[in-house]
Amino acid sequence: MSWFEKLVPSIIRTDGNERKASVPEGLWNKCPSCDAILYNAELEKNFNVCPKCEFHMRISARVRLEMFLDEGEKEEIAAGLKASDPLKFKDSKKYKDRLAQAQKKTKENDALIVMKGTLKGKGIVAAAFDFGFMGGSMGAVVGEKFVRGVNESLRTGFPFIVFTASGGARMQESLHSLFQMSKTSAALARLSEAGIPYISFMTDPTMGGVSASLAMLGDINVAEPNALIGFAGPRVIEQTVREKLPEGFQRSEFLLEHGAIDMIVDRREMRDTIASILAMLTAAQVTSPVEETQTTTVTESEAVTEETIASSEGENQDV
Amino acid sequence: MDLKFLDFEQPIAELEAKIEELRKVEIDNEINISDTLQELEKKCEMLTESIFQNLTDWQISQLSRHPGRPYTLDYIDLIFTDFHELHGDRAFADDPAIVCGLARLEGQPVMVIGHQKGRDTKEKIYRNFGMPRPEGYRKALRMMKMAERFKLPLICLIDTPGAYPGIGAEERGQSEAIARNLFEMARLKTPIICVVIGEGGSGGALAIGVGDRLIMLEYSTYAVISPEGCASILWKSADKAQLAAEAMAITSDRIREQGFLDEVVREPLGGGHRDFQKTAMNLRETLLRHLDELKQQAEDMEQLLETRYQRIMRLGSYIDESVK
């Protein structure tokens, strides 16, 4: 505040901060891309896509699954899993405190939510990353929940879909998180062998260990428009190669051009597109040999769950 | 100060240099000071022992990337015979940061895959500091498939700072290349032994690191990110790498405590770089033992794959509140 403004009587003073606070919160939103002021109710109706510039805003895992699945009965899978902090990790802050903070902020236990529901009447298992929970980072809980989702697909024969939004593996769990890359990939290999479709739906951002495992392994790899998707972060690459990155580098359109993804799908069309694709992929699935393999996978997947439960009960939770 | 030695190795280096000088004096002047020399050598050994008994995690991290440390090709030379290097991914290029080939281990044919770092500046650049590009991982995958087809056990030697973060690598699908290897290794129908021989750098290491055994050399490390990388993100300063190294539990002994390892291969006093032969022989003995076990298990391939799968599923610790 300049000396002149201080002289002005407070009644006629127009302080920037006060003016902002006087607008009721949560009624209006500003598009981070085109700065358009948007009415929230309108924005929600438009699937949190800016009606002016088509910018796809980040949304929480729960909102995503609500948007994607049919209204009505849904069953959350493995909701009771929580991080165990195996390394008692501490940087400037304790990992435990960071977890508590993220749990309070997102009202979720960890960065992945898995649900069994229906899409246009057909059964499906859907998982979604919550970027708001420690950057959607993948630790042991995320990996295990993902695998339980895959096991549910193996048990029911329902297709599996994941919506990724993650900075990568969770540093605070070191190898416990790194190994989730192999764990989720191994489970997907089983799903693939069972002939059950897996769709990876990448949203902004999908990086590091998540990108280099479950996200790139879809039978169909889909991305939302303009999502940042890659292995190394742009800043790291820039520092390594010491040159400016090309325009649109690591964006969905760039990946499509380079053959890494099958298609880009607008969020407002995701239900229609995915339902249409899955209908075709599963059209031949209702033959008898498939049923046979399904019964064998039931026992297998149950064995898996028992194993993992048993190992997670260990006194220091170290596996 | 000799740059071939790390900070904490300097006292040892100095003492060794002194002994070497005295030895020259002894020969040149034809005098007998062998008692003194022996005493000094013993002192040197004790000094090495005392330094290596109390290594910090950060010092071990430095040892794991010691410029003199044995690399994949050194082990291939010392442990295997009849090595034939096989090149290329058949699609884009050959990546010198990963070497692959057929070889014999005590007569038994195997497929060897390993990260390769360079010794001098020219070779370091040629090997891209051991940081593979997608074509390196795809070459490795091609060899894995070949190993499966011809029933050859697979031995993977891990030693990389990580997968290369470059523009071309991203364009050619670094993520997909790594992911595909994880996916395929989980169900590859041949025994797989993975050994971290130096630096186990995140996904770039894991991409040739899924199998029936995970073994680490005593002074190797394995982590989700380099200590420097972790420090610059969580502490906002790469100078805090020492703290990050400790927090992430990256050393072989601490990783074994977490139940991830089948074995830690001991290194000679002062670290693998001080005695290639001995280090290689220790590793060779370990490899043979595990290979024998796995070859027996591989007679029932379905069972081997099921055991591998369950092993992978147990990775990572969490709390399940719904079980109580």
Side-chain angles (χ1 to χ4, degrees):
Chain A
M1 203 183 287
S2 72
W3 64 271
F4 178 73
E5 282 171 312
K6 275 183 197 159
L7 291 178
V8 179
S10 63
I11 308 166
I12 52 170
R13 206 188 280 163
T14 52
D15 195 277
N17 292 331
E18 275 173 37
R19 194 167 38 184
K20 235 184 223 163
S22 68
V23 177
E25 230 178 272
L27 204 54
W28 296 91
N29 216 323
K30 193 159 117 183
C31 172
S33 175
C34 71
D35 285 346
I37 304 293
L38 307 164
Y39 188 46
N40 255 347
E42 200 74 19
L43 189 60
E44 267 166 42
K45 234 190 268 167
N46 205 34
F47 295 86
N48 282 69
V49 175
C50 172
K52 301 258 160 52
C53 73
E54 315 264 287
F55 180 80
H56 284 54
M57 298 182 187
R58 286 177 184 166
I59 52 176
S60 76
R62 220 161 269 279
V63 167
R64 168 75 64 178
L65 293 180
E66 256 162 47
M67 237 178 226
F68 177 71
L69 295 169
D70 293 343
E71 274 176 40
E73 213 174 301
K74 298 178 191 87
E75 185 194 323
E76 187 166 347
I77 295 165
L81 300 194
K82 276 188 166 176
S84 71
D85 190 11
L87 304 177
K88 308 273 170 287
F89 193 96
K90 186 177 168 240
D91 49 88
S92 55
K93 223 188 216 169
K94 280 185 187 156
Y95 175 37
K96 266 213 160 91
D97 295 342
R98 283 189 198 268
L99 280 168
Q101 201 180 18
Q103 280 157 353
K104 200 172 156 202
K105 184 178 121 196
T106 60
K107 310 217 169 29
E108 304 292 352
N109 276 343
D110 214 298
L112 189 80
I113 299 172
V114 189
M115 275 189 194
K116 186 169 69 172
T118 56
L119 173 66
K120 307 215 168 189
K122 295 264 176 65
I124 191 166
V125 181
F129 279 78
D130 202 311
F131 190 73
F133 195 105
M134 297 186 73
S137 57
M138 175 162 73
V141 170
V142 169
E144 176 64 17
K145 277 188 159 188
F146 186 89
V147 169
R148 299 235 184 140
V150 171
N151 286 342
E152 186 61 18
S153 270
L154 283 166
R155 201 177 67 78
T156 55
F158 294 166
F160 188 71
I161 184 167
V162 66
F163 296 92
T164 57
S166 171
R170 191 173 293 167
M171 280 176 288
Q172 289 88 346
E173 293 184 20
S174 198
L175 287 187
H176 291 265
S177 65
L178 181 72
F179 289 155
Q180 301 314 307
M181 291 172 67
S182 40
K183 185 167 163 176
T184 53
S185 303
L188 289 172
R190 288 245 156 142
L191 195 65
S192 171
E193 274 164 14
I196 297 168
Y198 166 53
I199 292 181
S200 165
F201 201 112
M202 292 172 252
T203 76
D204 186 57
T206 299
M207 305 300 291
V210 169
S211 158
S213 62
L214 57 100
M216 281 296 163
L217 293 172
D219 291 306
I220 312 273
N221 287 341
V222 184
E224 277 194 345
N226 199 43
L228 186 73
I229 301 163
F231 177 67
R235 208 171 40 111
V236 175
I237 297 174
E238 219 157 30
Q239 280 165 4
T240 310
V241 301
R242 291 176 199 285
E243 47 180 299
K244 224 175 139 41
L245 300 176
E247 179 81 19
F249 183 66
Q250 291 182 319
R251 295 286 168 184
S252 306
E253 295 72 15
F254 173 92
L255 270 87
L256 186 70
E257 195 184 313
H258 286 88
I261 57 173
D262 292 277
M263 60 205 294
I264 295 173
V265 174
D266 190 297
R267 191 180 292 163
R268 292 162 292 189
E269 277 138 35
M270 82 180 157
R271 272 174 56 86
D272 290 345
T273 310
I274 301 299
S276 166
I277 287 172
L278 285 177
M280 286 185 255
L281 291 181
T282 54
Q285 217 187 28
V286 240
T287 47
S288 49
V290 175
E291 269 172 35
E292 211 173 281
T293 51
Q294 271 174 26
T295 40
T296 55
T297 49
V298 170
T299 48
E300 263 170 26
S301 59
E302 273 171 5
V304 170
T305 338
E306 273 171 26
E307 276 274 353
T308 36
I309 289 167
S311 57
S312 69
E313 281 174 336
E315 43 168 356
N316 54 358
Q317 288 112 25
D318 283 355
V319 180
Chain B
M1 186 163 137
D2 194 333
L3 287 177
K4 286 201 297 293
F5 294 92
L6 301 170
D7 290 351
F8 60 89
E9 288 181 304
Q10 290 300 337
I12 306 170
E14 277 163 26
L15 196 51
E16 275 178 350
K18 225 177 254 170
I19 294 170
E20 205 47 46
E21 278 303 310
L22 277 177
R23 193 164 282 139
K24 281 182 202 156
V25 170
E26 185 184 27
I27 292 167
D28 292 352
N29 301 329
E30 289 176 17
I31 49 167
N32 190 357
I33 46 167
S34 61
D35 286 352
T36 327
L37 274 171
Q38 242 171 26
E39 209 170 286
L40 275 174
E41 267 166 13
K42 208 167 168 199
K43 202 175 151 195
C44 185
E45 206 180 302
M46 272 160 63
L47 178 70
T48 315
E49 232 166 80
S50 76
I51 289 175
F52 274 72
Q53 248 164 24
N54 302 305
L55 289 177
T56 64
D57 288 5
W58 173 241
Q59 286 169 331
I60 293 174
S61 163
Q62 288 173 290
L63 276 175
S64 75
R65 25 190 171 169
H66 195 291
R69 210 174 158 75
Y71 296 149
T72 290
L73 283 172
D74 299 310
Y75 288 114
I76 287 177
D77 193 35
L78 291 165
I79 298 178
F80 300 88
T81 58
D82 306 82
F83 177 63
H84 298 285
E85 187 172 353
L86 304 172
H87 294 274
D89 70 342
R90 293 284 195 274
F92 180 76
D94 181 45
D95 185 350
I98 290 187
V99 294
C100 307
L102 295 162
R104 286 182 189 273
L105 176 60
E106 207 175 59
Q108 312 171 69
V110 294
M111 180 70 82
V112 188
I113 294 175
H115 299 105
Q116 180 64 37
K117 294 180 175 176
R119 235 11 110 197
D120 56 34
T121 308
K122 204 174 148 195
E123 206 204 350
K124 274 182 180 147
I125 291 166
Y126 174 64
R127 301 286 181 188
N128 201 29
F129 302 87
M131 293 186 283
R133 298 179 164 94
E135 46 273 22
Y137 293 116
R138 290 183 179 130
K139 167 168 76 173
L141 180 60
R142 184 168 79 83
M143 304 309 167
M144 291 173 196
K145 292 281 187 183
M146 196 188 317
E148 178 178 59
R149 209 158 52 248
F150 298 105
K151 301 191 172 19
L152 301 170
L154 185 63
I155 292 170
C156 298
L157 304 179
I158 295 163
D159 187 15
T160 179
Y164 185 60
I167 295 176
E170 293 289 326
E171 285 175 336
R172 297 192 293 279
Q174 187 74 286
S175 286
E176 196 274 345
I178 295 171
R180 188 62 52 195
N181 284 12
L182 304 177
F183 183 92
E184 295 293 348
M185 289 183 96
R187 57 173 188 181
L188 196 79
K189 292 191 182 74
T190 195
I192 306 174
I193 302 177
C194 307
V195 188
V196 187
I197 56 170
E199 213 178 347
S202 193
L206 188 65
I208 60 165
V210 183
D212 305 298
R213 293 288 187 274
L214 181 59
I215 293 160
M216 283 180 77
L217 258 67
E218 186 173 4
Y219 300 126
S220 67
T221 53
Y222 201 175
V224 68
I225 186 172
S226 71
E228 289 87 346
C230 178
S232 71
I233 296 171
L234 289 180
W235 279 267
K236 314 274 177 230
S237 151
D239 304 336
K240 299 278 197 268
Q242 304 192 21
L243 294 174
E246 242 153 75
M248 288 197 295
I250 64 173
T251 64
S252 60
D253 283 334
R254 293 190 64 193
I255 291 168
R256 191 177 49 183
E257 277 167 24
Q258 293 159 62
F260 290 133
L261 299 183
D262 296 283
E263 188 169 335
V264 172
V265 179
R266 291 296 152 194
E267 293 184 30
L269 183 63
H273 56 287
R274 297 181 73 91
D275 192 341
F276 277 30
Q277 185 67 30
K278 202 165 173 199
T279 315
M281 287 310 112
N282 288 357
L283 176 57
R284 176 192 151 93
E285 186 272 319
T286 301
L287 284 176
L288 281 169
R289 199 155 21 82
H290 287 281
L291 192 61
D292 266 1
E293 281 174 27
L294 287 172
K295 271 189 150 176
Q296 271 177 20
Q297 286 177 35
E299 281 167 22
D300 185 351
M301 190 49 76
E302 284 309 307
Q303 189 52 50
L304 181 79
L305 292 186
E306 182 59 28
T307 310
R308 185 188 303 162
Y309 188 77
Q310 295 308 338
R311 193 187 151 87
I312 298 170
M313 288 306 123
R314 279 194 297 273
L315 296 171
S317 116
Y318 54 85
I319 301 164
D320 192 345
E321 289 192 338
S322 56
V323 183
K324 280 167 195 168

